[in-house]
Structures are given as structure tokens and as C-alpha cells.
CSV table of all heavy atoms in Angstrom, one decimal:
chain,number,residue,atom,x,y,z
A,118,ALA,N,-15.1,-143.1,158.1
A,118,ALA,CA,-15.4,-143.2,159.5
A,118,ALA,C,-14.1,-143.2,160.3
A,118,ALA,O,-14.0,-142.6,161.4
A,118,ALA,CB,-16.2,-144.5,159.8
A,119,GLU,N,-13.1,-143.9,159.7
A,119,GLU,CA,-11.8,-143.9,160.4
A,119,GLU,C,-11.1,-142.5,160.5
A,119,GLU,O,-10.6,-142.1,161.5
A,119,GLU,CB,-10.8,-144.9,159.7
A,119,GLU,CG,-11.2,-146.4,159.9
A,119,GLU,CD,-10.5,-147.3,159.0
A,119,GLU,OE1,-10.1,-146.9,157.9
A,119,GLU,OE2,-10.3,-148.5,159.4
A,120,ARG,N,-11.3,-141.8,159.4
A,120,ARG,CA,-10.7,-140.4,159.3
A,120,ARG,C,-11.5,-139.5,160.3
A,120,ARG,O,-10.9,-138.7,161.0
A,120,ARG,CB,-10.8,-139.8,157.9
A,120,ARG,CG,-9.8,-140.5,157.0
A,120,ARG,CD,-9.7,-139.7,155.6
A,120,ARG,NE,-11.0,-139.6,154.9
A,120,ARG,CZ,-11.5,-140.4,154.1
A,120,ARG,NH1,-10.9,-141.5,153.8
A,120,ARG,NH2,-12.7,-140.1,153.5
A,121,ALA,N,-12.8,-139.7,160.4
A,121,ALA,CA,-13.6,-138.9,161.3
A,121,ALA,C,-13.2,-139.2,162.8
A,121,ALA,O,-13.1,-138.3,163.6
A,121,ALA,CB,-15.1,-139.1,161.1
A,122,ALA,N,-13.0,-140.5,163.0
A,122,ALA,CA,-12.6,-140.9,164.4
A,122,ALA,C,-11.2,-140.4,164.7
A,122,ALA,O,-11.0,-139.9,165.9
A,122,ALA,CB,-12.6,-142.4,164.5
A,123,ALA,N,-10.3,-140.4,163.8
A,123,ALA,CA,-9.0,-139.8,164.0
A,123,ALA,C,-9.0,-138.3,164.3
A,123,ALA,O,-8.3,-137.8,165.2
A,123,ALA,CB,-8.0,-140.1,162.8
A,124,ARG,N,-9.9,-137.6,163.5
A,124,ARG,CA,-10.0,-136.1,163.8
A,124,ARG,C,-10.6,-135.9,165.2
A,124,ARG,O,-10.2,-135.0,165.9
A,124,ARG,CB,-10.9,-135.5,162.7
A,124,ARG,CG,-10.2,-135.3,161.4
A,124,ARG,CD,-11.1,-134.4,160.4
A,124,ARG,NE,-12.4,-135.0,160.2
A,124,ARG,CZ,-12.7,-135.8,159.2
A,124,ARG,NH1,-11.7,-136.2,158.4
A,124,ARG,NH2,-13.9,-136.2,159.0
A,125,GLU,N,-11.6,-136.7,165.6
A,125,GLU,CA,-12.2,-136.5,166.9
A,125,GLU,C,-11.2,-136.8,168.0
A,125,GLU,O,-11.1,-136.1,169.0
A,125,GLU,CB,-13.4,-137.5,167.0
A,125,GLU,CG,-14.1,-137.4,168.4
A,125,GLU,CD,-14.7,-136.0,168.7
A,125,GLU,OE1,-14.8,-135.2,167.8
A,125,GLU,OE2,-15.0,-135.8,169.9
A,126,ALA,N,-10.4,-137.9,167.8
A,126,ALA,CA,-9.4,-138.2,168.8
A,126,ALA,C,-8.4,-137.0,168.9
A,126,ALA,O,-7.9,-136.7,170.0
A,126,ALA,CB,-8.7,-139.5,168.4
A,127,GLU,N,-8.0,-136.4,167.8
A,127,GLU,CA,-7.1,-135.3,167.8
A,127,GLU,C,-7.7,-134.1,168.5
A,127,GLU,O,-7.0,-133.4,169.3
A,127,GLU,CB,-6.7,-134.9,166.4
A,127,GLU,CG,-5.7,-133.7,166.3
A,127,GLU,CD,-4.4,-134.0,166.9
A,127,GLU,OE1,-3.9,-135.1,167.0
A,127,GLU,OE2,-3.8,-133.0,167.4
A,128,ARG,N,-9.0,-133.9,168.3
A,128,ARG,CA,-9.7,-132.8,168.9
A,128,ARG,C,-9.7,-133.0,170.4
A,128,ARG,O,-9.5,-132.1,171.2
A,128,ARG,CB,-11.1,-132.6,168.4
A,128,ARG,CG,-11.8,-131.4,168.9
A,128,ARG,CD,-13.3,-131.5,168.7
A,128,ARG,NE,-14.0,-132.5,169.4
A,128,ARG,CZ,-14.3,-132.5,170.7
A,128,ARG,NH1,-13.9,-131.5,171.5
A,128,ARG,NH2,-14.9,-133.6,171.3
A,129,VAL,N,-10.0,-134.2,170.9
A,129,VAL,CA,-10.1,-134.5,172.3
A,129,VAL,C,-8.7,-134.3,172.9
A,129,VAL,O,-8.6,-133.8,174.0
A,129,VAL,CB,-10.6,-135.9,172.5
A,129,VAL,CG1,-10.4,-136.4,173.9
A,129,VAL,CG2,-12.1,-136.0,172.1
A,130,ALA,N,-7.6,-134.8,172.2
A,130,ALA,CA,-6.3,-134.6,172.8
A,130,ALA,C,-5.9,-133.2,172.9
A,130,ALA,O,-5.3,-132.8,173.9
A,130,ALA,CB,-5.3,-135.4,171.9
A,131,ARG,N,-6.3,-132.3,171.9
A,131,ARG,CA,-6.0,-130.9,172.0
A,131,ARG,C,-6.7,-130.3,173.2
A,131,ARG,O,-6.2,-129.4,173.9
A,131,ARG,CB,-6.3,-130.2,170.7
A,131,ARG,CG,-5.3,-130.4,169.6
A,131,ARG,CD,-5.5,-129.4,168.5
A,131,ARG,NE,-6.8,-129.4,167.9
A,131,ARG,CZ,-7.3,-130.2,167.0
A,131,ARG,NH1,-6.5,-131.0,166.4
A,131,ARG,NH2,-8.5,-130.1,166.6
A,132,ALA,N,-8.0,-130.7,173.4
A,132,ALA,CA,-8.8,-130.1,174.5
A,132,ALA,C,-8.2,-130.5,175.8
A,132,ALA,O,-8.1,-129.7,176.7
A,132,ALA,CB,-10.2,-130.6,174.4
A,133,LYS,N,-7.8,-131.8,175.9
A,133,LYS,CA,-7.2,-132.2,177.2
A,133,LYS,C,-5.9,-131.4,177.5
A,133,LYS,O,-5.6,-131.0,178.6
A,133,LYS,CB,-6.9,-133.7,177.2
A,133,LYS,CG,-8.1,-134.6,177.3
A,133,LYS,CD,-7.7,-136.0,177.3
A,133,LYS,CE,-8.9,-136.9,177.4
A,133,LYS,NZ,-8.6,-138.3,177.3
A,134,ALA,N,-5.1,-131.2,176.4
A,134,ALA,CA,-3.8,-130.5,176.6
A,134,ALA,C,-4.1,-129.0,177.0
A,134,ALA,O,-3.4,-128.5,177.9
A,134,ALA,CB,-3.0,-130.6,175.3
A,135,ALA,N,-5.1,-128.4,176.4
A,135,ALA,CA,-5.4,-127.1,176.8
A,135,ALA,C,-5.9,-127.0,178.2
A,135,ALA,O,-5.6,-126.1,178.9
A,135,ALA,CB,-6.5,-126.5,175.8
A,136,LEU,N,-6.7,-128.0,178.6
A,136,LEU,CA,-7.2,-128.0,180.0
A,136,LEU,C,-6.1,-128.1,181.0
A,136,LEU,O,-6.0,-127.4,182.0
A,136,LEU,CB,-8.2,-129.2,180.2
A,136,LEU,CG,-8.6,-129.5,181.6
A,136,LEU,CD1,-9.5,-128.4,182.1
A,136,LEU,CD2,-9.3,-130.9,181.6
A,137,ARG,N,-5.1,-129.0,180.7
A,137,ARG,CA,-4.0,-129.2,181.5
A,137,ARG,C,-3.1,-127.9,181.6
A,137,ARG,O,-2.7,-127.5,182.7
A,137,ARG,CB,-3.1,-130.3,181.0
A,137,ARG,CG,-2.0,-130.7,181.9
A,137,ARG,CD,-1.3,-132.0,181.4
A,137,ARG,NE,-2.1,-133.2,181.5
A,137,ARG,CZ,-2.2,-134.0,182.6
A,137,ARG,NH1,-1.4,-133.7,183.6
A,137,ARG,NH2,-3.0,-135.0,182.6
A,138,ARG,N,-3.0,-127.2,180.5
A,138,ARG,CA,-2.2,-126.0,180.5
A,138,ARG,C,-2.9,-124.9,181.4
A,138,ARG,O,-2.3,-124.2,182.1
A,138,ARG,CB,-2.0,-125.4,179.1
A,138,ARG,CG,-0.9,-126.0,178.3
A,138,ARG,CD,-0.6,-125.3,177.0
A,138,ARG,NE,-1.8,-125.1,176.1
A,138,ARG,CZ,-2.2,-126.0,175.2
A,138,ARG,NH1,-1.5,-127.2,175.1
A,138,ARG,NH2,-3.3,-125.8,174.5
A,139,ARG,N,-4.2,-124.8,181.2
A,139,ARG,CA,-5.0,-123.8,182.1
A,139,ARG,C,-4.8,-124.2,183.6
A,139,ARG,O,-4.6,-123.3,184.4
A,139,ARG,CB,-6.4,-123.8,181.7
A,139,ARG,CG,-6.7,-123.1,180.3
A,139,ARG,CD,-8.2,-122.9,180.1
A,139,ARG,NE,-9.0,-124.1,180.2
A,139,ARG,CZ,-9.3,-124.9,179.2
A,139,ARG,NH1,-8.8,-124.7,178.0
A,139,ARG,NH2,-10.1,-126.0,179.3
A,140,ALA,N,-5.0,-125.4,183.9
A,140,ALA,CA,-4.9,-125.9,185.3
A,140,ALA,C,-3.5,-125.6,185.9
A,140,ALA,O,-3.4,-125.1,187.0
A,140,ALA,CB,-5.2,-127.3,185.4
A,141,VAL,N,-2.5,-125.9,185.1
A,141,VAL,CA,-1.1,-125.7,185.6
A,141,VAL,C,-0.8,-124.2,185.7
A,141,VAL,O,-0.2,-123.7,186.7
A,141,VAL,CB,-0.1,-126.3,184.6
A,141,VAL,CG1,1.3,-125.8,184.9
A,141,VAL,CG2,-0.2,-127.8,184.7
A,142,THR,N,-1.3,-123.4,184.7
A,142,THR,CA,-1.1,-121.9,184.8
A,142,THR,C,-1.8,-121.3,186.0
A,142,THR,O,-1.2,-120.5,186.7
A,142,THR,CB,-1.7,-121.3,183.5
A,142,THR,OG1,-0.9,-121.8,182.4
A,142,THR,CG2,-1.5,-119.8,183.6
A,143,THR,N,-3.0,-121.8,186.3
A,143,THR,CA,-3.7,-121.3,187.5
A,143,THR,C,-2.9,-121.6,188.8
A,143,THR,O,-2.7,-120.8,189.6
A,143,THR,CB,-5.1,-122.0,187.6
A,143,THR,OG1,-5.9,-121.6,186.5
A,143,THR,CG2,-5.8,-121.6,188.9
A,144,SER,N,-2.4,-122.9,188.9
A,144,SER,CA,-1.7,-123.2,190.1
A,144,SER,C,-0.3,-122.6,190.1
A,144,SER,O,0.2,-122.2,191.2
A,144,SER,CB,-1.5,-124.8,190.2
A,144,SER,OG,-2.8,-125.3,190.6
A,145,ARG,N,0.3,-122.4,189.0
A,145,ARG,CA,1.6,-121.7,188.9
A,145,ARG,C,1.4,-120.2,189.4
A,145,ARG,O,2.3,-119.7,190.1
A,145,ARG,CB,2.2,-121.8,187.6
A,145,ARG,CG,3.5,-120.9,187.5
A,145,ARG,CD,4.5,-121.4,186.5
A,145,ARG,NE,5.2,-122.6,186.7
A,145,ARG,CZ,6.1,-122.8,187.7
A,145,ARG,NH1,6.4,-121.8,188.5
A,145,ARG,NH2,6.7,-123.9,187.8
A,146,THR,N,0.4,-119.6,188.9
A,146,THR,CA,0.1,-118.2,189.4
A,146,THR,C,-0.1,-118.1,190.9
A,146,THR,O,0.5,-117.2,191.5
A,146,THR,CB,-1.1,-117.7,188.6
A,146,THR,OG1,-0.9,-117.7,187.2
A,146,THR,CG2,-1.5,-116.2,189.0
A,147,LEU,N,-0.8,-119.1,191.4
A,147,LEU,CA,-0.9,-119.1,192.9
A,147,LEU,C,0.4,-119.4,193.6
A,147,LEU,O,0.7,-118.7,194.6
A,147,LEU,CB,-1.9,-120.2,193.3
A,147,LEU,CG,-2.2,-120.3,194.8
A,147,LEU,CD1,-2.8,-119.0,195.4
A,147,LEU,CD2,-3.2,-121.5,195.0
A,148,LEU,N,1.2,-120.2,193.0
A,148,LEU,CA,2.6,-120.5,193.6
A,148,LEU,C,3.4,-119.2,193.6
A,148,LEU,O,4.1,-118.9,194.5
A,148,LEU,CB,3.2,-121.6,192.8
A,148,LEU,CG,4.6,-122.1,193.3
A,148,LEU,CD1,4.5,-122.7,194.7
A,148,LEU,CD2,5.2,-123.1,192.3
A,149,GLU,N,3.3,-118.5,192.5
A,149,GLU,CA,4.1,-117.2,192.4
A,149,GLU,C,3.6,-116.2,193.5
A,149,GLU,O,4.4,-115.5,194.1
A,149,GLU,CB,3.9,-116.6,191.0
A,149,GLU,CG,4.7,-117.3,190.0
A,149,GLU,CD,4.3,-116.9,188.6
A,149,GLU,OE1,3.5,-116.0,188.4
A,149,GLU,OE2,4.9,-117.5,187.6
A,150,ARG,N,2.3,-116.2,193.8
A,150,ARG,CA,1.7,-115.4,194.8
A,150,ARG,C,2.3,-115.8,196.2
A,150,ARG,O,2.7,-115.0,197.0
A,150,ARG,CB,0.2,-115.4,194.8
A,150,ARG,CG,-0.5,-114.8,196.0
A,150,ARG,CD,-0.3,-113.3,196.0
A,150,ARG,NE,-0.9,-112.6,194.9
A,150,ARG,CZ,-0.8,-111.3,194.8
A,150,ARG,NH1,-0.1,-110.5,195.6
A,150,ARG,NH2,-1.4,-110.7,193.8
A,151,TYR,N,2.4,-117.1,196.4
A,151,TYR,CA,2.9,-117.6,197.7
A,151,TYR,C,4.4,-117.2,197.8
A,151,TYR,O,4.8,-116.7,198.9
A,151,TYR,CB,2.8,-119.1,197.8
A,151,TYR,CG,1.6,-119.6,198.4
A,151,TYR,CD1,0.5,-119.9,197.6
A,151,TYR,CD2,1.4,-119.8,199.8
A,151,TYR,CE1,-0.7,-120.4,198.2
A,151,TYR,CE2,0.3,-120.2,200.4
A,151,TYR,CZ,-0.8,-120.5,199.6
A,151,TYR,OH,-2.0,-121.0,200.2
A,152,ASP,N,5.2,-117.3,196.7
A,152,ASP,CA,6.6,-117.0,196.7
A,152,ASP,C,6.8,-115.5,197.0
A,152,ASP,O,7.6,-115.1,197.8
A,152,ASP,CB,7.2,-117.3,195.4
A,152,ASP,CG,7.4,-118.9,195.3
A,152,ASP,OD1,7.4,-119.6,196.3
A,152,ASP,OD2,7.6,-119.3,194.1
């Protein structure tokens, strides 16, 4: 159960990091358009 919880926590952390990268990329692309 502890190993499964650790795997799930790692999966959630990777998903949050990917979400943040996508959001930053979207805004950075818009910033480049403004520039």
C-alpha cells in the first residue's frame, strides 16, 4: 500500500509538472506574439 501510494504521488507530481509546462508554454507563445 505504501509503494502504491508513492507511485500515485509520483504520477500526480508528473501530471502537475506537465500541466505547468503546458500553461507556461501557452503564455510564453503569446508573449512572443506580443513582442
